[in-house]
Amino acid sequence: MFDFHNFWQAHAPIISILIPAFTSFILILFGNPGAGSLKQDWRQPWRRGISLASVILGLITAVSYLIIASTGQISVYQLSEWSAPFGIVLVLDRLSAFMLVLTYTLALPVLWYASDNWDTRGRYFHTMFHFLLMGVCGAFLTGDLFNLFVFFEILLMASYVLLLHSQGRPRFQLGVHYVTINLLASALFLVGLGMIYGSVGSLNMADVARLIPTLDADQHKLAVAGGLLLFVVFGIKAAMLPVGFWLPKTYAVASTPVAAIFTIMTKVGIYAILRINGTVFDDALAQSILRNVLMAIGLITSIYGVIGALGADRLRRFVGFMVLSSIGTLLIAIAMFSSQSWAAALYYLVHSTLVAAAFYLFCGWITSQRGTFKDHLKVAPKMKQEKAASFTYFIIALMMAGLPPFSGFLGKVFILQATAESAYQSWIIAIILIVSLLSILALTRVGFILFWRATPPEDDQSKEAYAAYQALPEVAPNRNDKAIYALLAVLMAYVVFASPIQQYTAATAQQIQDHALYTATILKTDSQGLPISVQPYDPHYLPETKYGGEVEDPNALLIPDIIATPTLQGEHISEYKQRQIAEQTLQAPTIPNNTQLKPMEAN
């Protein structure tokens, strides 16, 4: 009988990638008649139902992964049954499971809101939404640097389409800038990977981390330079200064649900910095450079973001600058390079993602009820839902400013507690407190303009302003306020369960820094307990394949350790190779029947 539980655990990491991938393919097969016809298209309810069901299934999967990872187990999935570093692997640990749950927790209310109206304003919205989820999930799960590049490209290509969703000249103009910046980042990514592979001979994360300290001086410098180049790329994705100026304007022109889901994309950059530059390049030279640079960048980004928010002229840009400021706070915590600071960063990361998404959704509510004023920070007539909107804004503002008893306050407290062993303690405390104060001032300014200084609506029926005001909707866009309340409820629960969550993030930070465990779990070892790898890289080495002829391979005895038994017994391992394995190991347990081996004809 089919054992679903064992199947689920055996294929755990890849299922989270396959769910959005297959959903995207199915939605493509539905076709799209065009944005103008989607509302009347009989297939649209099917698209919405399949899309929402997929996200719900993805959330259930992510939670099950979190349960598996919470035991401390690291699950490795070998694609094509080849072990690392010779094959590509997916790795599910505490950090990746944590990020997957965050992704789907955000995706579900955003997609539910978008499925009411926004998905009819452009073609292939649901398809691109799931391609984006596929790229994000793959980036969190991959254990290979090149595969990280591949998943980055998948999520970026989907984001290009989503950014232009609903069309419009501003979206197209800033979309071109966004594509150009990310194409440059992708080119730098490839250059960095080439430098690492040319010096290390591997792109598996665990293998690279193991080999970098063993390199000679010249190769070591080249590898470190490649790692720092990747840091620049991840910095562009995370929107840190001085390569993050694109975020406030770009996210400001995106449609409301797209801007909300994009808040997870900057966290992919943060995750990559933490995973790659924080753990893979665990080297004295790389760490000394990175700590000082990252701390300075974090401090500057945090203060710049809140200053930009003080001068913002539109609510969406205001939110973008506040997102920049929160990214700076995260970088400060990561730059302290301690398990306590990383645990604090992970706790604050969830808060900053969800509250920013709720704020972008709130921008859609404000825009719908202010008519021609939209989200411009100018005094306008009172909104018809002034009490509900003002109260919602008040809660969001308290959360974003980091005031008690909300999750932003706890996150900053955890970060401040982690400064005890930092050489920059006074700077960190000063900047975080100053940024918090300026955030309160900036949020008060926005509330003052939107609500307290709002003028009474026109009551003269003979004037056009009266008719324009009466034409405005009486309530928030359908599902908009409910999606906001769902995200705020999650943040409330995040505070209630802060203790077990903080324990999980602390264990996650410790697991990330346990490089020996990560290496031992991913890499196979030989009879002497040494990791099986090829180093240094030999460009003249030609491994034998089924059609490659007879090539003497001194590493044949290692083959049974790095591929699965079914693959070893398959037709792609030639008889000549089987004989080499048997001769070098002086035994033949991996050969199905030694008497069936026949000498290969000479070429």
Side-chain angles (χ1 to χ4, degrees):
M1 184 177 179
F2 179 70
D3 191 337
F4 179 77
H5 180 264
N6 289 338
F7 174 83
W8 187 273
Q9 286 198 323
H11 300 276
I14 201 170
I15 293 176
S16 191
I17 299 174
L18 292 180
I19 289 174
F22 281 120
T23 303
S24 301
F25 299 148
I26 292 171
L27 292 173
I28 287 177
L29 295 177
F30 270 85
N32 256 278
S37 307
L38 283 174
K39 289 185 178 180
Q40 294 78 32
D41 186 17
W42 65 272
R43 294 165 292 186
Q44 192 64 9
W46 284 93
R47 294 188 190 96
R48 292 169 175 171
I50 293 172
S51 184
L52 285 168
S54 175
V55 172
I56 293 172
L57 181 59
L59 178 59
I60 295 172
T61 303
V63 172
S64 71
Y65 287 178
L66 190 72
I67 295 172
I68 294 172
S70 63
T71 63
Q73 173 186 348
I74 299 179
S75 303
V76 180
Y77 187 84
Q78 301 174 359
L79 298 173
S80 300
E81 297 183 332
W82 282 82
S83 66
F86 305 97
I88 295 172
V89 296
L90 302 176
V91 183
L92 175 66
D93 60 359
R94 288 180 179 270
L95 178 59
S96 55
F98 186 75
M99 298 303 294
L100 288 176
V101 172
L102 171 61
T103 300
Y104 278 102
T105 301
L106 172 63
L108 182 57
V110 171
L111 182 64
W112 179 70
Y113 162 60
S115 296
D116 182 69
N117 180 35
W118 282 100
D119 58 345
T120 62
R121 301 186 185 188
R123 302 178 68 190
Y124 297 105
F125 174 84
H126 291 282
T127 302
M128 292 300 110
F129 192 93
H130 287 279
F131 271 127
L132 179 71
L133 291 180
M134 174 188 172
V136 172
C137 293
F140 291 149
L141 287 168
T142 184
D144 184 88
L145 288 173
F146 185 79
N147 250 32
L148 181 64
F149 167 79
V150 172
F151 284 118
F152 263 60
E153 291 307 297
I154 292 173
L155 70 90
L156 285 173
M157 286 188 289
S159 71
Y160 299 156
V161 181
L162 289 174
L163 180 61
L164 298 177
H165 182 73
S166 297
Q167 304 175 4
R169 184 175 179 180
R171 291 194 179 102
F172 180 79
Q173 289 177 334
L174 286 170
V176 172
H177 297 165
Y178 177 73
V179 172
T180 303
I181 290 171
N182 282 285
L183 287 178
L184 174 62
S186 298
L188 293 177
F189 203 155
L190 282 177
V191 173
L193 291 178
M195 295 170 68
I196 295 169
Y197 188 73
S199 56
V200 180
S202 177
L203 288 177
N204 177 268
M205 295 180 187
D207 206 32
V208 171
R210 182 183 67 85
L211 292 173
I212 282 182
T214 67
L215 300 177
D216 59 38
D218 290 339
Q219 287 182 318
H220 182 265
K221 290 179 181 178
L222 184 63
V224 170
L228 293 177
L229 193 58
L230 294 188
F231 171 68
V232 175
V233 174
F234 302 147
I236 295 175
K237 311 297 185 184
M240 71 181 187
L241 292 184
V243 289
F245 293 104
W246 56 270
L247 187 145
K249 285 187 176 181
T250 302
Y251 282 22
V253 300
S255 60
T256 300
V258 171
I261 195 62
F262 273 13
T263 57
I264 193 63
M265 290 180 58
T266 55
K267 305 312 182 292
V268 178
I270 295 292
Y271 166 86
I273 292 174
L274 186 62
R275 175 76 80 184
I276 309 304
N277 298 105
T279 60
V280 173
F281 288 89
D282 183 32
D283 178 83
L285 176 60
Q287 296 293 337
S288 63
I289 295 174
L290 188 63
R291 290 187 186 194
N292 296 327
V293 171
L294 190 59
M295 179 61 71
I297 289 175
L299 294 172
I300 295 172
T301 302
S302 183
I303 197 74
Y304 169 81
V306 74
I307 291 175
L310 283 168
D313 59 349
R314 293 188 61 183
L315 186 60
R316 291 175 183 267
R317 292 187 183 179
F318 172 85
V319 180
F321 281 113
M322 294 300 291
V323 170
L324 273 184
S325 183
S326 67
I327 289 169
T329 304
L330 286 170
L331 294 176
I332 291 171
I334 295 174
M336 286 188 279
F337 275 84
S338 67
S339 58
Q340 186 180 5
S341 66
W342 285 8
L346 291 174
Y347 186 90
Y348 187 77
L349 183 146
V350 174
H351 155 80
S352 62
T353 303
L354 297 182
V355 75
F359 212 154
Y360 274 120
L361 293 178
F362 181 76
C363 291
W365 186 354
I366 294 296
T367 301
S368 68
Q369 296 214 330
R370 297 184 84 225
T372 57
F373 288 92
K374 297 184 178 179
D375 68 330
H376 292 276
L377 295 179
K378 297 179 179 179
V379 177
K382 293 182 179 179
M383 290 178 287
K384 294 182 178 179
Q385 270 190 303
E386 182 187 22
K387 292 182 178 179
S390 60
F391 180 76
T392 303
Y393 174 79
F394 180 67
I395 298 299
I396 293 175
L398 291 178
M399 289 183 173
M400 183 160 276
L403 294 177
F406 299 105
S407 54
F409 173 75
L410 289 180
K412 290 185 178 181
V413 168
F414 293 151
I415 294 174
L416 292 177
Q417 289 176 340
T419 63
E421 299 179 0
S422 175
Y424 302 95
Q425 182 182 28
S426 57
W427 279 98
I428 296 172
I429 294 176
I431 292 297
I432 289 180
L433 293 180
I434 291 173
V435 167
S436 298
L437 176 60
L438 293 178
S439 297
I440 295 172
L441 295 177
L443 289 161
T444 302
R445 167 182 170 263
V446 170
F448 192 72
I449 294 172
L450 293 179
F451 302 107
W452 292 305
R453 289 190 60 193
T455 59
E458 181 62 56
D459 56 1
D460 188 347
Q461 300 183 11
S462 63
K463 294 186 178 181
E464 294 183 3
Y466 176 83
Y469 183 81
Q470 296 302 318
L472 294 176
E474 297 286 341
V475 295
N478 194 24
R479 299 185 181 177
N480 181 283
D481 52 346
K482 298 179 180 63
I484 297 172
Y485 298 151
L487 290 173
L488 296 182
V490 172
L491 287 171
M492 296 289 189
Y494 198 57
V495 177
V496 174
F497 298 99
S499 179
I501 293 172
Q502 201 274 336
Q503 292 175 8
Y504 182 91
T505 58
T508 301
Q510 293 175 359
Q511 187 182 68
I512 298 171
Q513 295 182 343
D514 191 349
H515 306 120
L517 174 64
Y518 193 76
T519 301
T521 305
I522 295 176
L523 300 179
K524 295 293 184 66
T525 57
D526 58 18
S527 58
Q528 299 178 349
L530 299 175
I532 300 175
S533 179
V534 177
Q535 205 283 329
Y537 172 68
D538 183 3
H540 302 292
Y541 173 73
L542 180 64
E544 181 188 9
T545 63
K546 180 181 179 183
Y547 308 105
E550 298 182 2
V551 178
E552 186 67 28
D553 187 357
N555 298 316
L557 77 165
L558 300 178
I559 291 178
D561 295 320
I562 62 175
I563 63 176
T565 301
T567 303
L568 181 64
Q569 297 175 351
E571 62 177 8
H572 292 282
I573 305 298
S574 68
E575 295 175 351
Y576 180 78
K577 182 66 67 178
Q578 295 277 14
R579 190 185 307 114
Q580 283 188 334
I581 296 171
E583 291 173 352
Q584 291 185 21
T585 57
L586 300 179
Q587 55 185 352
T590 58
I591 302 177
N593 190 342
N594 195 29
T595 61
Q596 296 178 359
L597 294 179
K598 300 179 181 179
M600 296 182 66
E601 297 181 0
N603 294 334

